[in-house]
Amino acid sequence: MQPMDPNQIQLNQEGRLKHFLTTEGLSKEILTEIIETANSFISTQERSVKTVPILRGKTVVNLFFENSTRTRSTFELAAKRLSANILNLDIARSATSKGETLMDTLWNLESMYSDMFVVRHADSGAAHFIAQHITPNVAVINAGDGRHAHPTQAMLDMLTIHREKGSFENISVAIVGDILHSRVARSQIYALKTLGCNDVRVIGPNTLIPKDIESLGVRAFNNMKQGLKGVNVVIMLRLQKERMQTALLPSESEYYRLYGLTTESLAYAEPDAIVMHPGPINRGVEIESAVADGPQSVILKQVSNGIPMRMAVMAMAMGGQNQEQTLSEQEEAK
Ligand code: CP
């Protein structure tokens, strides 16, 4: 069976975002609009009153079936700053732990007149599945599904790169580490390529780089010196040991020696290169503290940018749902 085109699910009949499930297949226009909308929310975050009434009266449910610090808390703050009501479901105490299925949990929450679900799940495709089965006019935002996608992380990274480097053309970006298990890397690669970045590289041991990665238009390197040469942006990734079924590395110390970002290895990149990491960071495993806390690091700026970016995605998806509802009501009235 052919996998369904994600845009058949995440766009409405007018081509507007109504769910946000993946960066794959989204047009340059939509990705640019997401960045511009997030940029417009940055100024609201610098005011003493940070709320805007865009989602007033709407109910957003945070459904995190996997642990999270940054994504869950910035979605909560973003929803509050859009004036929405937010419900954080405590999965460990919910009926899911008594065997209730995912869809039964969702249908029950939907019956409480929820307008949006923010979902993190260990299974790839969970957010797509929910979006396909949920009642019309309820938006689904993917907050990370298995190894598949983490589109809001990728877009807050695009916002950060855009603000730091000005554009995506004429820059080189290296993504370093555990590409194989990374939903973030996949979502970043789709977004970077669509936004016009012609030089995207991945760096890591062969065991942590998918065999077909170059089909996405990126170049693969096994050597930090060669891979980082002349890059403007270095994105470090965590080793996702929880997703490794077999030993894919000789040892952590050997990995750090070969692929850790240290003051010494960062010198292979351009002198004004920025250092990024989606978090959580593992100091001394993939990144040296001096680099993580150093002048080239924008890791905490990424976290700050998570709020306006999540505000943008929620506002746009709700707008797309409202537009679809209006169009179907007009259709019914004919
Ligand atoms: N980057 C990221 O998804 O972090 P959390 O797991 O803390 O949400």
Side-chain angles (χ1 to χ4, degrees), residues 82-322:
L82 290 168
S83 308
N85 301 310
I86 175 116
L87 172 69
N88 287 300
L89 195 75
D90 186 346
I91 300 294
R93 290 169 199 265
S94 77
T96 314
S97 60
K98 298 182 198 161
E100 186 174 76
T101 67
L102 174 61
M103 281 319 298
D104 279 321
T105 302
L106 283 154
W107 283 321
N108 277 272
L109 290 165
E110 221 185 77
S111 306
M112 301 172 201
Y113 304 101
S114 304
D115 299 289
M116 185 179 290
F117 290 116
V118 178
V119 184
R120 170 170 289 189
H121 202 283
D123 292 343
S124 298
H128 285 67
F129 178 81
I130 293 165
Q132 277 177 285
H133 292 89
I134 205 96
T135 304
N137 310 127
V138 176
V140 177
I141 312 288
N142 185 1
D145 63 324
R147 295 185 193 188
H148 173 244
H150 194 350
T152 60
Q153 176 67 47
M155 290 312 295
L156 74 87
D157 296 336
M158 297 307 112
L159 175 64
T160 308
I161 293 172
H162 192 258
R163 290 180 70 81
E164 297 295 321
K165 294 290 166 195
S167 86
F168 295 96
E169 284 120 32
N170 307 320
I171 62 164
S172 302
V173 178
I175 308 172
V176 185
D178 184 359
I179 314 293
L180 184 67
H181 301 99
S182 177
R183 54 195 177 202
V184 175
R186 238 170 294 279
S187 292
Q188 288 168 334
I189 290 168
Y190 287 124
L192 282 165
K193 297 299 294 181
T194 304
L195 286 163
C197 184
N198 293 317
D199 187 9
V200 182
R201 312 173 190 181
V202 294
I203 309 173
N206 272 334
T207 48
L208 295 181
I209 295 187
K211 304 233 173 318
D212 58 350
I213 194 77
E214 292 192 329
S215 68
L216 301 182
V218 304
R219 288 188 290 156
F221 293 84
N222 300 129
N223 176 288
M224 285 287 263
K225 188 170 185 177
Q226 289 164 7
L228 290 182
K229 191 168 188 287
V231 301
N232 310 96
V233 178
V234 186
I235 304 176
M236 297 306 295
L237 299 174
R238 181 176 70 86
L239 287 176
Q240 302 208 15
K241 285 179 276 184
E242 72 278 15
R243 296 192 207 282
M244 295 182 193
Q245 262 110 45
T246 51
L248 296 172
L249 297 165
S251 70
E252 264 180 25
S253 57
E254 182 70 353
Y255 178 81
Y256 185 62
R257 190 179 68 78
L258 293 172
Y259 299 104
L261 192 67
T262 58
T263 310
E264 194 184 5
S265 56
L266 180 57
Y268 302 138
E270 287 294 293
D272 64 348
I274 54 169
V275 174
M276 301 175 64
H277 195 310
I281 64 171
N282 288 152
R283 294 168 188 264
V285 177
E286 73 267 359
I287 190 164
E288 184 185 18
S289 278
V291 174
D293 305 328
Q296 288 170 260
S297 170
V298 294
I299 295 171
L300 293 178
K301 282 190 190 172
Q302 288 173 262
V303 179
S304 303
N305 287 338
I307 300 172
M309 177 48 69
R310 289 174 172 129
M311 288 171 78
V313 167
M314 288 197 279
M316 286 175 66
M318 210 64 253
Q321 291 286 352
N322 291 341

